[in-house]
Amino acid sequence: LRSHVPRHHQRHRLASEPTTAPRTAMATPLFQRSFQNKEALHLYREILRFSRKFHWCNEKGEPWNQILRENARKEFEQSRHETDPLLIAKMLAVGRQCL
C-alpha cells in the first residue's frame, strides 16, 4: 500500500498505520539544524553588540567596529549553506572562543 505513495506524503499517513522508524528519529536532523541556526544567529548578534565597544580607528583611519561587522557578515555569509552538523558546531565553538 505505501509503495505507491510518494515519500513526502508518507509523513501525513494515519496514526494507526505502523511506522518503521520512530518519529523522533525523523525529526532529529531538522531539530538540530534549527537549533544550530538559532545559535548562529545568537552568536552573530552577540558579535555585533560586542563590536560597538571598538570606537578607535586602525592605521588607515577605518573604524574597528565597522571592520569587525563587515568581517563577521562576510564569514557568516560564506558559511550560510554549510550542512555538515559537526563542521557547523566547530565553527560556532570557535566563534564563541573568539568573543
Side-chain angles (χ1 to χ4, degrees), residues 25-58:
M26 293 187 311
T28 302
L30 180 62
F31 174 75
Q32 187 175 17
R33 266 194 315 244
S34 174
F35 178 74
Q36 287 179 333
N37 286 344
K38 288 178 184 178
E39 193 175 349
L41 183 59
H42 181 70
L43 176 62
Y44 181 71
R45 288 178 177 161
E46 220 174 299
I47 290 170
L48 293 182
R49 274 188 232 110
F50 191 74
S51 70
R52 292 183 200 150
K53 298 178 182 180
F54 291 85
H55 299 288
W56 57 91
C57 297
N58 66 1

Side-chain angles (χ1 to χ4, degrees), residues 33 36 40 79 82-93:
R33 266 194 315 244
Q36 287 179 333
S79 303
E82 184 59 53
T83 57
D84 182 16
L86 293 176
L87 185 58
I88 293 170
K90 184 177 179 180
M91 288 188 286
L92 290 171

Side-chain angles (χ1 to χ4, degrees), residues 1-2 10 13-21 23:
L1 176 69
R2 288 191 328 200
Q10 286 183 5
R13 64 184 173 270
L14 296 174
S16 62
E17 292 183 33
T19 59
T20 56
R23 290 187 185 273

Side-chain angles (χ1 to χ4, degrees), residues 6 29 85 94:
V94 169

Side-chain angles (χ1 to χ4, degrees), residues 64-80:
W64 273 109
N65 57 5
Q66 185 177 357
I67 294 169
L68 291 172
R69 288 179 189 169
E70 289 171 359
N71 287 337
R73 173 75 180 211
K74 185 174 73 173
E75 287 189 35
F76 275 83
E77 284 293 329
Q78 288 174 348
S79 303
R80 171 178 253 170

